[in-house]
Each structure stands twice: as structure tokens, then as C-alpha cells.
Amino acid sequence: ETGVTQSPTHLIKTRGQQVTLRCSSQSGHNTVSWYQQALGQGPQFIFQYYREEENGRGNFPPRFSGLQFPNYSSELNVNALELDDSALYLCASSFVGTGEKLFFGSGTQLSVL
Amino acid sequence: KQEVTQIPAALSVPEGENLVLNCSFTDSAIYNLQWFRQDPGKGLTSLLLIQSSQREQTSGRLNASLDKSSGRSTLYIAASQPGDSATYLCAVSGGYQKVTFGTGTKLQVIP
């Protein structure tokens, strides 16, 4: 059984650029969610995907968007990067019907200069 | 809007001590509550998941309880070890698949 993997592990971008982060769900999981964690804070829910559709979203602007693919891997896209977007981005997968226990990847550390 | 608070923000204890971490939430209409451990700069490791219909869950030296009516959960760690040093986060799952995290308790276990 493979765990949740995220790529890249670290990324440096400049303000105004666009970024794509990737996540491979744990084998057998059909739901993926994304979180932003600023330094010293708890993770903030961005959105969740189930069966390739967004089915829940936190308080993030539309420049944060995502995709889920038929193999349940996922992407997080952020357009027009701002300095405050610097954070650890975490992906979690789960399987609907098992109490939705979340399994997290190790995250992507994004720095916006 | 669900708000999750964890007290204390930081805790330092000598090795071998039993300890309790607290988590409170404002909206009792939850689906489940999950406790996580996070090492610096790393992802989250799931420790225990409590469904809304359950009162507690145990795994090894860890025991988590849930009192929905009072909006509280506790994580009990028995016989603490230096390897337990990490930040502990609780997360509440509510409506619209939204998960709300607390800001965590940073635990240091001193040998």
C-alpha cells in the first residue's frame, strides 16, 4: 500500500507567477483535499475533490483551483502568486465510507519572493 | 463558523510523565474529530479518529475522548517519551466536507 506523495518538496516563485503542486493519493482512496499551513498555524482547508468534482471549499479566492484525475491523483494551481501565499501546502486523501480518516503527504514548501 | 482552540499552546514535561492535551470546538454538529502529530516541516500523521457517535478511542499509550455536547476533546499520553516531542493538532470535520484545525500544542518531552 503506497502512501500519499507530493511533489515538489520545495518551490521558490516570484510574486505574480503561477504554480502547480501535485499529489498522488493513497491506493484505494477516492477523495483528496488540500490545505495551506502558514508557519506556526494549523492547516487551513482549501478545497476537497471527490470523483473529479470539487465538493467543498474553504475561504480561498478563485485563483486557487484544483483538479482530480481518474486515477485519483490531484493538482493544486495557484495563479497570480502573492507574498502571503508562502506556506506549506498539504494534500490529504481519504476513502468515503470509512469515517473519512485523513492521510497526509509530507507537503510542498512554497516560498514567494 | 467552526472555531477550534487548543490549550496549552506549548508544553514541556519530564520523560515518563502522563499528560493531557485539550481541544475545544464551537459547533457541536461534527462528523468526526481526528488527532494528528506533526514533526517540524513535515506532514501530519494520524493518531486517532473519533466518530461523532463515539466517546473515546485508544491506541497504545494514547487515548482520545470526545464530548460533543460540551465541544471538547482530550488527548491523553501515558508515560511520555522524548520521541513524543512534536506538535499535536486536532481537526474537526463538519458540514460541506470542511475540516477545521486547531493551532496545535507543541510538546517537548525532556529526557
Side-chain angles (χ1 to χ4, degrees), chain A residues 11-19 36-39 60-61 63-64 78-89 109-113:
Chain A
L11 202 53
I12 299 174
K13 292 286 188 178
T14 56
R15 193 171 50 183
Q17 285 189 311
Q18 179 267 343
V19 68
Q36 180 195 66
Q37 187 177 25
L39 192 63
F60 281 81
R63 58 189 186 85
F64 285 78
V78 186
N79 295 320
L81 284 167
E82 301 177 359
L83 297 180
D84 285 347
D85 295 333
S86 295
L88 181 67
Y89 287 84
Q109 184 67 53
L110 173 65
S111 298
V112 182
L113 306 178

Side-chain angles (χ1 to χ4, degrees), chain B residues 22-103:
Chain B
N22 297 292
C23 172
S24 61
F25 46 94
T26 55
D27 186 349
S28 61
I30 66 171
Y31 185 61
N32 61 44
L33 184 145
Q34 197 164 352
W35 281 93
F36 295 90
R37 168 192 172 130
Q38 186 175 32
D39 294 292
K42 302 296 184 182
L44 280 64
T45 300
S46 178
L47 298 173
L48 291 164
L49 169 70
I50 310 177
Q51 302 294 345
S52 62
S53 59
Q54 297 174 323
R55 297 282 297 188
E56 65 178 332
Q57 284 287 327
T58 299
S59 176
R61 296 183 293 110
L62 305 179
N63 175 275
S65 67
L66 174 64
D67 184 343
K68 272 197 349 176
S69 61
S70 66
R72 294 181 181 179
S73 176
T74 61
L75 178 66
Y76 175 83
I77 302 177
S80 58
Q81 303 172 357
D84 294 331
S85 298
T87 296
Y88 290 81
L89 294 152
C90 71
V92 173
S93 178
Y96 302 102
Q97 290 74 43
K98 185 173 180 179
V99 177
T100 304
F101 279 83
T103 52

